PDB file of all heavy atoms in Angstrom:
ATOM      1  N   SER A  90     -67.625 -14.787 -11.526  1.00 55.00           N
ATOM      2  CA  SER A  90     -68.924 -14.771 -10.843  1.00 55.00           C
ATOM      3  C   SER A  90     -68.779 -14.634  -9.350  1.00 55.00           C
ATOM      4  O   SER A  90     -69.597 -14.024  -8.682  1.00 55.00           O
ATOM      5  CB  SER A  90     -69.709 -16.035 -11.213  1.00 55.00           C
ATOM      6  OG  SER A  90     -69.923 -16.128 -12.597  1.00 55.00           O
ATOM      7  N   PHE A  91     -67.671 -15.271  -8.814  1.00 50.00           N
ATOM      8  CA  PHE A  91     -67.451 -15.241  -7.369  1.00 50.00           C
ATOM      9  C   PHE A  91     -66.477 -14.144  -6.957  1.00 50.00           C
ATOM     10  O   PHE A  91     -65.998 -14.136  -5.822  1.00 50.00           O
ATOM     11  CB  PHE A  91     -66.921 -16.592  -6.906  1.00 50.00           C
ATOM     12  CG  PHE A  91     -67.947 -17.697  -6.926  1.00 50.00           C
ATOM     13  CD1 PHE A  91     -67.928 -18.644  -7.923  1.00 50.00           C
ATOM     14  CD2 PHE A  91     -68.925 -17.770  -5.957  1.00 50.00           C
ATOM     15  CE1 PHE A  91     -68.861 -19.662  -7.961  1.00 50.00           C
ATOM     16  CE2 PHE A  91     -69.880 -18.766  -5.974  1.00 50.00           C
ATOM     17  CZ  PHE A  91     -69.855 -19.727  -6.963  1.00 50.00           C
ATOM     18  N   ALA A  92     -66.193 -13.222  -7.864  1.00 53.00           N
ATOM     19  CA  ALA A  92     -65.174 -12.202  -7.576  1.00 53.00           C
ATOM     20  C   ALA A  92     -65.557 -11.295  -6.405  1.00 53.00           C
ATOM     21  O   ALA A  92     -64.674 -10.721  -5.776  1.00 53.00           O
ATOM     22  CB  ALA A  92     -64.934 -11.325  -8.835  1.00 53.00           C
ATOM     23  N   HIS A  93     -66.824 -11.220  -6.133  1.00 54.00           N
ATOM     24  CA  HIS A  93     -67.264 -10.338  -5.032  1.00 54.00           C
ATOM     25  C   HIS A  93     -66.990 -10.941  -3.666  1.00 54.00           C
ATOM     26  O   HIS A  93     -67.035 -10.241  -2.658  1.00 54.00           O
ATOM     27  CB  HIS A  93     -68.757 -10.047  -5.158  1.00 54.00           C
ATOM     28  CG  HIS A  93     -69.613 -11.286  -5.016  1.00 54.00           C
ATOM     29  ND1 HIS A  93     -69.726 -12.223  -6.036  1.00 54.00           N
ATOM     30  CD2 HIS A  93     -70.345 -11.743  -3.970  1.00 54.00           C
ATOM     31  CE1 HIS A  93     -70.534 -13.194  -5.622  1.00 54.00           C
ATOM     32  NE2 HIS A  93     -70.924 -12.938  -4.379  1.00 54.00           N
ATOM     33  N   LEU A  94     -66.669 -12.247  -3.648  1.00 48.00           N
ATOM     34  CA  LEU A  94     -66.407 -12.900  -2.373  1.00 48.00           C
ATOM     35  C   LEU A  94     -65.018 -12.531  -1.840  1.00 48.00           C
ATOM     36  O   LEU A  94     -64.101 -12.266  -2.628  1.00 48.00           O
ATOM     37  CB  LEU A  94     -66.533 -14.419  -2.499  1.00 48.00           C
ATOM     38  CG  LEU A  94     -67.894 -14.976  -2.906  1.00 48.00           C
ATOM     39  CD1 LEU A  94     -67.850 -16.464  -3.022  1.00 48.00           C
ATOM     40  CD2 LEU A  94     -68.970 -14.533  -1.909  1.00 48.00           C
ATOM     41  N   THR A  95     -64.855 -12.557  -0.518  1.00 47.00           N
ATOM     42  CA  THR A  95     -63.529 -12.256   0.069  1.00 47.00           C
ATOM     43  C   THR A  95     -62.504 -13.269  -0.358  1.00 47.00           C
ATOM     44  O   THR A  95     -61.367 -12.963  -0.657  1.00 47.00           O
ATOM     45  CB  THR A  95     -63.642 -12.258   1.621  1.00 47.00           C
ATOM     46  OG1 THR A  95     -64.636 -11.325   1.998  1.00 47.00           O
ATOM     47  CG2 THR A  95     -62.295 -11.871   2.236  1.00 47.00           C
ATOM     48  N   LYS A  96     -62.913 -14.566  -0.422  1.00 46.00           N
ATOM     49  CA  LYS A  96     -62.006 -15.640  -0.821  1.00 46.00           C
ATOM     50  C   LYS A  96     -62.695 -16.529  -1.850  1.00 46.00           C
ATOM     51  O   LYS A  96     -63.409 -17.488  -1.465  1.00 46.00           O
ATOM     52  CB  LYS A  96     -61.543 -16.476   0.385  1.00 46.00           C
ATOM     53  CG  LYS A  96     -60.489 -17.498   0.041  1.00 46.00           C
ATOM     54  CD  LYS A  96     -60.055 -18.248   1.285  1.00 46.00           C
ATOM     55  CE  LYS A  96     -58.968 -19.293   0.954  1.00 46.00           C
ATOM     56  NZ  LYS A  96     -58.562 -20.052   2.152  1.00 46.00           N
ATOM     57  N   PRO A  97     -62.546 -16.212  -3.128  1.00 46.00           N
ATOM     58  CA  PRO A  97     -63.198 -17.016  -4.164  1.00 46.00           C
ATOM     59  C   PRO A  97     -62.728 -18.460  -4.116  1.00 46.00           C
ATOM     60  O   PRO A  97     -61.626 -18.739  -3.667  1.00 46.00           O
ATOM     61  CB  PRO A  97     -62.763 -16.329  -5.489  1.00 46.00           C
ATOM     62  CG  PRO A  97     -62.327 -14.983  -5.082  1.00 46.00           C
ATOM     63  CD  PRO A  97     -61.777 -15.125  -3.695  1.00 46.00           C
ATOM     64  N   PRO A  98     -63.549 -19.408  -4.573  1.00 47.00           N
ATOM     65  CA  PRO A  98     -63.152 -20.821  -4.545  1.00 47.00           C
ATOM     66  C   PRO A  98     -61.968 -21.085  -5.476  1.00 47.00           C
ATOM     67  O   PRO A  98     -61.824 -20.459  -6.508  1.00 47.00           O
ATOM     68  CB  PRO A  98     -64.417 -21.555  -5.051  1.00 47.00           C
ATOM     69  CG  PRO A  98     -65.145 -20.532  -5.851  1.00 47.00           C
ATOM     70  CD  PRO A  98     -64.898 -19.209  -5.149  1.00 47.00           C
ATOM     71  N   SER A  99     -61.103 -22.023  -5.056  1.00 43.00           N
ATOM     72  CA  SER A  99     -59.939 -22.399  -5.866  1.00 43.00           C
ATOM     73  C   SER A  99     -60.348 -23.450  -6.850  1.00 43.00           C
ATOM     74  O   SER A  99     -60.670 -24.595  -6.493  1.00 43.00           O
ATOM     75  CB  SER A  99     -58.816 -22.924  -4.959  1.00 43.00           C
ATOM     76  OG  SER A  99     -57.720 -23.353  -5.725  1.00 43.00           O
ATOM     77  N   LEU A 100     -60.363 -23.098  -8.142  1.00 41.00           N
ATOM     78  CA  LEU A 100     -60.859 -24.005  -9.167  1.00 41.00           C
ATOM     79  C   LEU A 100     -59.864 -24.220 -10.306  1.00 41.00           C
ATOM     80  O   LEU A 100     -60.220 -24.716 -11.351  1.00 41.00           O
ATOM     81  CB  LEU A 100     -62.173 -23.468  -9.751  1.00 41.00           C
ATOM     82  CG  LEU A 100     -63.321 -23.307  -8.758  1.00 41.00           C
ATOM     83  CD1 LEU A 100     -64.450 -22.511  -9.413  1.00 41.00           C
ATOM     84  CD2 LEU A 100     -63.814 -24.646  -8.282  1.00 41.00           C
ATOM     85  N   SER A 101     -58.631 -23.790 -10.132  1.00 40.00           N
ATOM     86  CA  SER A 101     -57.661 -23.850 -11.227  1.00 40.00           C
ATOM     87  C   SER A 101     -57.246 -25.261 -11.550  1.00 40.00           C
ATOM     88  O   SER A 101     -57.261 -26.135 -10.701  1.00 40.00           O
ATOM     89  CB  SER A 101     -56.429 -23.030 -10.850  1.00 40.00           C
ATOM     90  OG  SER A 101     -55.800 -23.596  -9.708  1.00 40.00           O
ATOM     91  N   ILE A 102     -56.931 -25.502 -12.811  1.00 42.00           N
ATOM     92  CA  ILE A 102     -56.443 -26.813 -13.268  1.00 42.00           C
ATOM     93  C   ILE A 102     -54.986 -26.655 -13.671  1.00 42.00           C
ATOM     94  O   ILE A 102     -54.640 -25.821 -14.478  1.00 42.00           O
ATOM     95  CB  ILE A 102     -57.273 -27.293 -14.487  1.00 42.00           C
ATOM     96  CG1 ILE A 102     -58.729 -27.506 -14.045  1.00 42.00           C
ATOM     97  CG2 ILE A 102     -56.692 -28.559 -15.075  1.00 42.00           C
ATOM     98  CD1 ILE A 102     -59.664 -27.889 -15.191  1.00 42.00           C
ATOM     99  N   VAL A 103     -54.144 -27.476 -13.071  1.00 55.00           N
ATOM    100  CA  VAL A 103     -52.692 -27.343 -13.261  1.00 55.00           C
ATOM    101  C   VAL A 103     -52.211 -28.413 -14.224  1.00 55.00           C
ATOM    102  O   VAL A 103     -52.467 -29.597 -14.055  1.00 55.00           O
ATOM    103  CB  VAL A 103     -51.934 -27.463 -11.922  1.00 55.00           C
ATOM    104  CG1 VAL A 103     -50.440 -27.329 -12.147  1.00 55.00           C
ATOM    105  CG2 VAL A 103     -52.441 -26.425 -10.941  1.00 55.00           C
ATOM    106  N   ALA A 104     -51.491 -28.002 -15.276  1.00 81.00           N
ATOM    107  CA  ALA A 104     -50.918 -28.935 -16.247  1.00 81.00           C
ATOM    108  C   ALA A 104     -49.627 -29.537 -15.698  1.00 81.00           C
ATOM    109  O   ALA A 104     -48.958 -28.948 -14.873  1.00 81.00           O
ATOM    110  CB  ALA A 104     -50.632 -28.206 -17.562  1.00 81.00           C
ATOM    111  N   GLN A 105     -49.326 -30.761 -16.150  1.00 93.00           N
ATOM    112  CA  GLN A 105     -48.118 -31.421 -15.710  1.00 93.00           C
ATOM    113  C   GLN A 105     -46.873 -30.709 -16.286  1.00 93.00           C
ATOM    114  O   GLN A 105     -46.873 -30.291 -17.430  1.00 93.00           O
ATOM    115  CB  GLN A 105     -48.122 -32.877 -16.186  1.00 93.00           C
ATOM    116  CG  GLN A 105     -49.255 -33.715 -15.630  1.00 93.00           C
ATOM    117  CD  GLN A 105     -49.106 -33.985 -14.128  1.00 93.00           C
ATOM    118  OE1 GLN A 105     -49.575 -33.180 -13.316  1.00 93.00           O
ATOM    119  NE2 GLN A 105     -48.479 -35.065 -13.772  1.00 93.00           N
ATOM    120  N   THR A 106     -45.847 -30.618 -15.467  1.00 97.00           N
ATOM    121  CA  THR A 106     -44.588 -30.002 -15.879  1.00 97.00           C
ATOM    122  C   THR A 106     -43.955 -30.825 -17.004  1.00 97.00           C
ATOM    123  O   THR A 106     -43.777 -32.043 -16.845  1.00 97.00           O
ATOM    124  CB  THR A 106     -43.599 -29.868 -14.732  1.00 97.00           C
ATOM    125  OG1 THR A 106     -44.238 -29.192 -13.649  1.00 97.00           O
ATOM    126  CG2 THR A 106     -42.329 -29.152 -15.138  1.00 97.00           C
ATOM    127  N   PRO A 107     -43.612 -30.224 -18.121  1.00 98.00           N
ATOM    128  CA  PRO A 107     -43.015 -31.005 -19.227  1.00 98.00           C
ATOM    129  C   PRO A 107     -41.582 -31.477 -18.896  1.00 98.00           C
ATOM    130  O   PRO A 107     -40.859 -30.830 -18.151  1.00 98.00           O
ATOM    131  CB  PRO A 107     -43.010 -29.994 -20.392  1.00 98.00           C
ATOM    132  CG  PRO A 107     -42.994 -28.660 -19.752  1.00 98.00           C
ATOM    133  CD  PRO A 107     -43.778 -28.797 -18.485  1.00 98.00           C
ATOM    134  N   LEU A 108     -41.237 -32.598 -19.494  1.00 98.00           N
ATOM    135  CA  LEU A 108     -39.856 -33.129 -19.405  1.00 98.00           C
ATOM    136  C   LEU A 108     -39.141 -32.740 -20.686  1.00 98.00           C
ATOM    137  O   LEU A 108     -39.638 -32.987 -21.782  1.00 98.00           O
ATOM    138  CB  LEU A 108     -39.910 -34.649 -19.256  1.00 98.00           C
ATOM    139  CG  LEU A 108     -38.560 -35.399 -19.371  1.00 98.00           C
ATOM    140  CD1 LEU A 108     -37.619 -34.995 -18.229  1.00 98.00           C
ATOM    141  CD2 LEU A 108     -38.771 -36.897 -19.397  1.00 98.00           C
ATOM    142  N   VAL A 109     -37.986 -32.122 -20.543  1.00 98.00           N
ATOM    143  CA  VAL A 109     -37.169 -31.711 -21.687  1.00 98.00           C
ATOM    144  C   VAL A 109     -35.901 -32.548 -21.665  1.00 98.00           C
ATOM    145  O   VAL A 109     -35.156 -32.557 -20.676  1.00 98.00           O
ATOM    146  CB  VAL A 109     -36.854 -30.208 -21.649  1.00 98.00           C
ATOM    147  CG1 VAL A 109     -35.873 -29.829 -22.787  1.00 98.00           C
ATOM    148  CG2 VAL A 109     -38.130 -29.405 -21.772  1.00 98.00           C
ATOM    149  N   MET A 110     -35.583 -33.202 -22.788  1.00 98.00           N
ATOM    150  CA  MET A 110     -34.456 -34.138 -22.855  1.00 98.00           C
ATOM    151  C   MET A 110     -33.399 -33.598 -23.830  1.00 98.00           C
ATOM    152  O   MET A 110     -33.703 -33.287 -24.980  1.00 98.00           O
ATOM    153  CB  MET A 110     -34.941 -35.519 -23.293  1.00 98.00           C
ATOM    154  CG  MET A 110     -36.085 -36.055 -22.430  1.00 98.00           C
ATOM    155  SD  MET A 110     -36.729 -37.658 -22.970  1.00 98.00           S
ATOM    156  CE  MET A 110     -35.429 -38.781 -22.390  1.00 98.00           C
ATOM    157  N   ILE A 111     -32.137 -33.527 -23.331  1.00 98.00           N
ATOM    158  CA  ILE A 111     -31.035 -33.044 -24.150  1.00 98.00           C
ATOM    159  C   ILE A 111     -30.035 -34.152 -24.401  1.00 98.00           C
ATOM    160  O   ILE A 111     -29.496 -34.748 -23.436  1.00 98.00           O
ATOM    161  CB  ILE A 111     -30.312 -31.862 -23.462  1.00 98.00           C
ATOM    162  CG1 ILE A 111     -31.323 -30.764 -23.079  1.00 98.00           C
ATOM    163  CG2 ILE A 111     -29.237 -31.286 -24.354  1.00 98.00           C
ATOM    164  CD1 ILE A 111     -30.692 -29.584 -22.348  1.00 98.00           C
ATOM    165  N   HIS A 112     -29.813 -34.481 -25.630  1.00 98.00           N
ATOM    166  CA  HIS A 112     -28.910 -35.579 -26.005  1.00 98.00           C
ATOM    167  C   HIS A 112     -27.445 -35.234 -25.778  1.00 98.00           C
ATOM    168  O   HIS A 112     -27.083 -34.081 -25.485  1.00 98.00           O
ATOM    169  CB  HIS A 112     -29.122 -35.972 -27.458  1.00 98.00           C
ATOM    170  CG  HIS A 112     -28.739 -34.902 -28.432  1.00 98.00           C
ATOM    171  ND1 HIS A 112     -27.436 -34.618 -28.795  1.00 98.00           N
ATOM    172  CD2 HIS A 112     -29.491 -33.989 -29.129  1.00 98.00           C
ATOM    173  CE1 HIS A 112     -27.406 -33.633 -29.647  1.00 98.00           C
ATOM    174  NE2 HIS A 112     -28.641 -33.212 -29.879  1.00 98.00           N
ATOM    175  N   GLY A 113     -26.579 -36.218 -25.935  1.00 96.00           N
ATOM    176  CA  GLY A 113     -25.156 -36.021 -25.735  1.00 96.00           C
ATOM    177  C   GLY A 113     -24.415 -35.716 -27.037  1.00 96.00           C
ATOM    178  O   GLY A 113     -25.034 -35.541 -28.086  1.00 96.00           O
ATOM    179  N   PHE A 114     -23.092 -35.714 -26.953  1.00 92.00           N
ATOM    180  CA  PHE A 114     -22.244 -35.400 -28.097  1.00 92.00           C
ATOM    181  C   PHE A 114     -22.484 -36.361 -29.247  1.00 92.00           C
ATOM    182  O   PHE A 114     -22.509 -37.604 -29.071  1.00 92.00           O
ATOM    183  CB  PHE A 114     -20.770 -35.472 -27.681  1.00 92.00           C
ATOM    184  CG  PHE A 114     -19.818 -35.274 -28.815  1.00 92.00           C
ATOM    185  CD1 PHE A 114     -19.577 -34.012 -29.328  1.00 92.00           C
ATOM    186  CD2 PHE A 114     -19.147 -36.365 -29.358  1.00 92.00           C
ATOM    187  CE1 PHE A 114     -18.715 -33.825 -30.387  1.00 92.00           C
ATOM    188  CE2 PHE A 114     -18.263 -36.174 -30.411  1.00 92.00           C
ATOM    189  CZ  PHE A 114     -18.050 -34.903 -30.937  1.00 92.00           C
ATOM    190  N   GLY A 115     -22.699 -35.804 -30.427  1.00 88.00           N
ATOM    191  CA  GLY A 115     -22.876 -36.628 -31.630  1.00 88.00           C
ATOM    192  C   GLY A 115     -24.228 -37.279 -31.734  1.00 88.00           C
ATOM    193  O   GLY A 115     -24.445 -38.115 -32.629  1.00 88.00           O
TER     194      GLY A 115
END
Side-chain angles (χ1 to χ4, degrees):
S90 300
F91 288 104
H93 64 283
L94 298 179
T95 304
K96 186 178 180 181
S99 177
L100 299 170
S101 62
I102 296 176
V103 180
Q105 298 291 88
T106 305
L108 171 64
V109 174
M110 308 177 75
I111 307 178
H112 65 79
F114 175 75

